[in-house]
Amino acid sequence: MRESEILEKIRSSPGYPSRERFIKGPVCVIECPEEIPCDPCSQVCPFEAIDVGRPITNLPKLIEDRCTGCGLCITACPGLAIFVVNLNYSPGEASISMPYEFLPLPDVGQQVEMLNREGSYVCKGRIVRVNEGEDHTRVVTVAVPKEFYEHARGIKLISGKVR
Amino acid sequence: MDAELSVIGSGPAGLSAAIESAKYGVRVELIDENILPGGQLFKQIHKFFGSKKHYAGVRGYDIGWRLLREAEDAKVNIRLNTTVWGIFQSSNNRIGLFDQQRVFFSKPKRLVIATGATENPLSFPGSTLPGVMGAGAVQTMMNIHRVLPGRRVLMVGAGNVGLIVSYQLLQAGAEVAAVVEAMPKIGGYLVHALKLMRTGVPILTSHTVLEARGDKEVESAVIASLDKDCRIVKGSEKELDVDLVCLAVGLKPDAELCRMLGCGFTYVPFLGGRVPIHNEDMETTIPGVYVAGDVSGVEEASVAMEEGRLAGISVAESLGYISEGEAEKEKDEIKERLRDFRIGPFGSPRQEGKDKILTEYKRWFSNEGKRDS
């Protein structure tokens, strides 16, 4: 499946933030466009910014103005399908926080290659934070050039094997 | 003292059935041929989907530990290393057991069969070489025994099992050269596929494995693309340098015991093929014999747990441990959750399958048990 096809599917789901919301700062990006029976994201959010409701197969809906970009949903999602994007990380960079379940962990400051949703190279990235997270899921934050905020979704350690 | 209920199989369905009925006071024995209870749960290192109330977001092995603790608290008698070798309807569903030392019998008043599913095989030249194995074996080796069965892997099948096991192979340090899927689209959840794809693993739909090559073990595998009629496209063959070919090409109910008992069966392709007919309370066409989990139609662990609970409550009710009214209330809540799980593109074909099984159950008794459609 192609990146453009996947992105189109994800963009048209109710979990994907609008361009206006992205511009305002950190926001969760829910990349979960299929009706599967799952709702921990809505249960974990302290701001009630994610709504699944009943039936449990509803697509998660992001209530944009309630989301603070806190990132609790990143590790709560069993599908590893939630990211937090901060388009205002620095004048030229966006930051992307993502779940990470591999070893070795990258180091802060390390340069990595960023892959898109079909596994193709997108741009270079720089690890800016590695959090312990919940239940063996780490949260890794990478700074990338702003224009790639919608595409950079995977981390490839340059010195190591493909992860 | 004899058990009132024997539960065969201690996976998520069997454990849940045992816990639920024991909670109401039923004397339960839980039988498993393995040395550890838990079924597939202890190799499931990923977080489960479902509702937060029912272990969603919890890793499979942690769910396993919780259920084992609950089973102990509920005083379930767990018989491990014990094989059911026979089951006899003629003597009131007596079951024959072997615990590696002696052969003995158990004559419970009720029976829950929760024997799960078996993997489908796939045959091709080289498929008997060491290094070709099922996804279940791969998961057992790597996640239970911590032995990596290969360094570079070809995964066959892009259903949820193939996708999840591929991801776990990456976590264990292997490389996944490719996932091939004969269907023109990915069968499993997109979120599982994306976890793999964003690490650079290609998922090749309309592709299949033609051959595994090697002298004494797998050294490479040949794949090819398929046209819309599922015929091999000539000239599309490609040889991949792999030492493991992992097969994840579907599951079917492991219903031998139901067959031995003479339960009625029906054919539901989407639930894995021939499944024992059962009613809404999970009771088969043989009164007092219940099924739950994959043996009653291949679905997923959260459904297996709910079905197990349903069977457990029904047993407790039929033995008089809870009133009909109380049981109805509990069962209705579970049934509602099950219906909720079976909505959407992945769920509705399963609901249709379950509806068909229910219809067959009613027809079975209106035709005096003469049918096996």
Side-chain angles (χ1 to χ4, degrees), chain A residues 1 34-39 43 54 56-57 75 78-80 101 117 119 135 137 153-154 161-163, chain B residues 47-52 59 61 167 170-171 173 189-191 195 197-199 336 340-341 343 345-346:
Chain A
M1 223 187 312
E34 287 174 336
E35 292 165 308
I36 55 182
C38 193
D39 72 356
Q43 306 279 334
R54 283 209 49 209
I56 193 175
T57 46
T75 53
L80 307 188
E101 294 186 331
R117 297 175 189 82
D135 190 21
T137 305
R153 289 295 180 270
K161 281 190 285 186
V162 176
R163 286 295 192 192
Chain B
K47 294 176 180 177
F48 276 31
F49 289 0
S51 94
K52 186 80 184 172
R59 293 183 190 274
Y61 58 86
Y167 181 74
L170 296 179
Q171 288 181 300
Y189 296 162
L190 184 63
V191 288
K195 288 197 302 200
M197 288 160 70
R198 62 177 180 255
T199 70
E336 195 173 314
D340 273 8
F341 278 143
I343 294 176
F346 296 94

Side-chain angles (χ1 to χ4, degrees), chain A residues 49-158:
Chain A
I50 305 175
D51 182 33
V52 175
R54 283 209 49 209
I56 193 175
T57 46
N58 284 343
L59 296 182
K61 182 173 181 248
L62 172 68
I63 300 148
E64 296 189 336
D65 49 353
R66 288 192 190 161
C67 177
T68 66
C70 73
L72 273 178
C73 47
I74 297 175
T75 53
C77 171
L80 307 188
I82 305 185
F83 303 80
V84 166
V85 171
N86 180 3
L87 206 47
N88 304 330
Y89 179 72
S90 78
E93 291 169 313
S95 75
I96 302 164
S97 300
M98 55 184 79
Y100 197 77
E101 294 186 331
F102 296 112
L103 291 171
L105 286 176
D107 295 317
V108 171
Q110 190 178 338
Q111 273 246 318
V112 293
E113 290 184 349
M114 299 304 294
L115 305 182
N116 66 12
R117 297 175 189 82
E118 60 164 294
S120 305
Y121 172 82
V122 176
C123 62
K124 289 263 163 49
R126 179 170 46 88
I127 305 288
V128 295
R129 200 165 59 227
V130 178
N131 279 1
E132 263 310 300
E134 285 288 314
D135 190 21
H136 305 293
T137 305
R138 270 71 169 216
V139 178
V140 172
T141 305
V142 198
V144 299
K146 259 194 206 320
E147 70 253 46
F148 300 115
Y149 77 102
E150 281 191 293
H151 297 285
R153 289 295 180 270
I155 298 170
K156 184 178 174 183
L157 304 186
I158 290 169

Side-chain angles (χ1 to χ4, degrees), chain B residues 262-265 277-279 283-287 289 360-361 364-365:
Chain B
C263 292
F265 276 77
I277 296 169
H278 57 82
N279 66 14
E283 193 171 13
T284 64
T285 55
I286 295 180
V289 178
E360 289 294 327
Y361 181 87
W364 178 275
F365 285 102

Side-chain angles (χ1 to χ4, degrees), chain B residues 25-259:
Chain B
V26 179
R27 287 196 310 278
V28 184
E29 66 175 4
L30 179 59
I31 300 160
D32 200 298
E33 63 184 352
N34 296 293
I35 52 171
L36 287 171
Q40 307 303 301
L41 285 172
F42 286 97
K43 31 179 138 155
Q44 313 286 8
I45 62 170
H46 56 280
K47 294 176 180 177
F48 276 31
F49 289 0
S51 94
K52 186 80 184 172
K53 271 180 252 137
H54 292 89
Y55 312 110
V58 181
R59 293 183 190 274
Y61 58 86
D62 283 328
I63 297 176
W65 285 121
R66 288 190 200 183
L67 291 178
L68 286 190
R69 231 169 285 139
E70 281 183 46
E72 268 167 34
D73 290 347
K75 304 265 188 301
V76 172
N77 175 22
I78 304 180
R79 291 182 188 275
L80 297 172
N81 239 336
T82 303
T83 309
V84 175
W85 53 264
I87 196 157
F88 309 96
Q89 195 197 354
S90 54
S91 55
N92 279 328
N93 307 334
R94 199 160 71 124
I95 54 180
L97 298 160
F98 174 59
D99 70 357
Q100 317 304 319
Q101 278 159 17
R102 66 192 179 103
V103 164
F104 59 107
F105 293 88
S106 178
K107 203 173 165 187
K109 292 183 181 135
R110 301 285 182 272
L111 197 54
V112 174
I113 297 176
T115 41
T118 54
E119 286 182 282
N120 292 335
L122 188 68
S123 90
F124 47 88
S127 63
T128 55
L129 279 174
V132 179
M133 61 178 89
V138 167
Q139 263 193 323
T140 307
M141 285 178 77
M142 101 187 147
N143 298 348
I144 306 267
H145 302 297
R146 311 204 176 196
V147 174
L148 193 59
R151 296 254 155 229
R152 233 176 105 76
V153 188
L154 170 67
M155 178 65 69
V156 182
N160 276 334
V161 173
L163 299 173
I164 289 171
V165 174
S166 295
Y167 181 74
Q168 292 177 356
L169 277 157
L170 296 179
Q171 288 181 300
E175 266 181 78
V176 178
V179 179
V180 289
E181 166 59 58
M183 305 287 283
K185 66 186 274 280
I186 292 167
Y189 296 162
L190 184 63
V191 288
H192 283 315
L194 288 176
K195 288 197 302 200
L196 270 184
M197 288 160 70
R198 62 177 180 255
T199 70
V201 173
I203 300 177
L204 308 172
T205 50
S206 296
H207 272 71
T208 191
V209 60
L210 291 186
E211 189 181 344
R213 290 180 179 163
D215 264 346
K216 293 198 176 85
E217 56 192 41
V218 174
E219 289 164 25
S220 72
V222 181
I223 61 169
S225 58
L226 299 170
D227 66 17
K228 62 176 181 4
D229 301 316
C230 240
R231 281 184 307 234
I232 292 151
V233 177
K234 285 224 174 71
S236 69
E237 297 86 356
K238 218 189 310 177
E239 189 168 356
L240 299 178
D241 179 20
V242 295
D243 58 0
L244 174 65
V245 177
C246 180
L247 305 178
V249 291
L251 296 159
K252 57 172 167 291
D254 187 355
E256 285 307 310
L257 293 176
C258 298
R259 213 174 292 277

